[in-house]
Amino acid sequence: MQDVRARRVYEQAGPSDGIRVLVDRLWPRGLSKEEAHLDEWLKAVAPSNELRRWYGHQPAKFAEFKRRYESELTEPDRADALRHLRDEARTGPVTLLTATRDLEHSEAEVLVELVRSE
């Protein structure tokens, strides 16, 4: 299994984080680029604005969000971005960062599952 995990971008960076990748389309509020300690901001792998707005981080919609998001990830640019995450995970730990409070129902957790499943 790939060493990939999801964390909130607001949490302190840790020595076991490996490569830190922000997977949100929008920059997290109130956080400077220096405070984020990012290695990469991979907007291409984020859900579309339309899907993000429809979902609104409502846990009851998560199963449908996940289905739609996985479908979006087959689009060429998004598929390349997902492939990039998988390549990074083969070389060492990867931490996928998101601003959402509910990690369990986030795009970051969907991505963790998809990267690990390869």
Side-chain angles (χ1 to χ4, degrees), residues 23-74:
V23 295
D24 289 348
R25 181 165 304 282
L26 303 175
W27 185 260
R29 292 180 188 201
L31 188 69
S32 72
K33 296 199 185 227
E34 295 78 33
E35 292 171 317
H37 299 286
L38 295 181
D39 294 297
E40 187 172 0
W41 183 9
L42 194 58
K43 293 181 203 178
V45 78
S48 67
N49 285 327
E50 296 79 16
L51 180 57
R52 183 179 55 79
R53 286 185 194 114
W54 171 83
Y55 176 45
H57 296 285
Q58 297 175 38
K61 291 182 172 181
F62 184 70
E64 180 62 16
F65 165 78
K66 182 179 175 185
R67 187 192 68 71
R68 291 181 187 189
Y69 182 41
E70 288 176 349
S71 177
E72 283 188 352
L73 288 168
T74 64

Side-chain angles (χ1 to χ4, degrees), residues 72-84:
E72 283 188 352
L73 288 168
T74 64
E75 297 168 8
D77 288 347
R78 288 185 170 95
D80 288 345
L82 179 58
R83 194 171 308 111
H84 172 70

Side-chain angles (χ1 to χ4, degrees), residues 86-100:
R86 287 176 170 150
D87 291 344
E88 291 289 352
R90 282 189 201 96
T91 63
V94 174
T95 300
L96 305 180
L97 301 168
T98 182
T100 187

